[in-house]
Amino acid sequence: RQDAQVNDDIRVATTESDYAAFGDLIREYWAWLQARYSDMPGFIDTIGGHQALEAELAGLAAKYGPPEGKTLLAFREGDVTGAVAYRDLRDGSCEMKRLFVPDRFGGRGTGRLLCATLIDEATADGYRVMRLDTGRQNTEAMKMYESLGFRRCAPFHDYPAELLAHLHFMEKSLGDTVTGAERSSETA
């Protein structure tokens, strides 16, 4: 039996405590990725090093707050149940980053709601395209992204070849709309 659909309250991060909660989720996400990719020792550490994860964590508001980006947090019954952000790529596009809903809050559509809301926010903020990258083993996420209109594209970041082999790059035209049915459907 699946849990009932819950409408999380989605809010834009604005305070130091919001960004601290976002940082906690990113750290939890990184531990989740370590477990997911345990058959590839060092892969997640190499990605974190390439993306300068520690520097990112030290300056989340600067990297994912105005004017460089936007961070969304999902709340349910006082708990932060998930997060996602975008950052400006300076070419009319933005990049979705750090989508994560811990397993204990999963199965209720929080990830889909966060993505759909981020798409709406980026569209309202004037972006034409949203891009993302994800690991090849993140099949549930890729399925959800495809259901929201993302399609595979060429790499838009310069990763070393040994990392590129394990990543998928996707993009979505923000002229495409996400319907209410797509927003609430459970596929992830």
Side-chain angles (χ1 to χ4, degrees):
R1 178 181 167 289
Q2 282 201 335
D3 292 326
Q5 193 78 7
V6 171
N7 289 326
D8 294 282
D9 179 27
I10 307 297
R11 296 183 219 153
V12 175
T14 58
T15 66
E16 192 174 307
S17 65
D18 288 342
Y19 287 104
F22 183 43
D24 290 344
L25 279 174
I26 292 171
R27 286 178 187 87
E28 188 174 345
Y29 174 54
W30 225 253
W32 181 89
L33 286 171
Q34 293 281 4
R36 163 81 38 122
Y37 288 86
S38 63
D39 63 331
M40 299 173 63
F43 174 67
I44 296 302
D45 290 334
T46 303
I47 290 280
H50 183 76
Q51 293 181 359
L53 180 65
E54 288 307 316
E56 176 181 308
L57 287 166
L60 288 172
K63 183 143 187 140
Y64 296 116
E68 298 301 315
K70 188 172 279 186
T71 298
L72 302 178
L73 299 172
F75 293 86
R76 183 185 321 144
E77 299 172 4
D79 292 317
V80 178
T81 59
V84 68
Y86 76 68
R87 65 185 184 123
D88 189 345
L89 292 177
R90 308 220 182 280
D91 62 358
S93 69
C94 62
E95 180 181 15
M96 181 189 299
K97 296 291 289 179
R98 309 300 182 225
L99 172 66
F100 184 62
V101 175
D103 290 340
R104 66 189 173 280
F105 298 117
R108 295 186 177 194
T110 301
R112 175 174 287 281
L113 180 61
L114 280 164
C115 285
T117 304
L118 192 73
I119 290 166
D120 289 347
E121 291 284 332
T123 301
D125 290 343
Y127 292 96
R128 296 185 311 272
V129 174
M130 182 173 279
R131 295 190 168 105
L132 62 87
D133 63 59
T134 191
R136 290 184 187 255
Q137 291 184 31
N138 295 346
T139 54
E140 309 91 339
M142 285 187 288
K143 196 176 197 182
M144 182 187 64
Y145 297 142
E146 287 172 353
S147 76
L148 289 169
F150 285 88
R151 299 293 170 249
R152 295 209 181 149
C153 66
F156 53 89
H157 285 305
D158 185 25
Y159 280 96
E162 67 272 12
L163 298 180
L164 275 177
H166 304 286
L167 298 172
H168 282 299
F169 293 81
M170 304 179 87
E171 67 182 10
K172 174 185 175 58
S173 167
L174 295 182
D176 300 341
T177 58
V178 178
T179 68
E182 289 172 325
R183 185 181 304 263
S184 62
S185 124
E186 284 271 333
T187 62

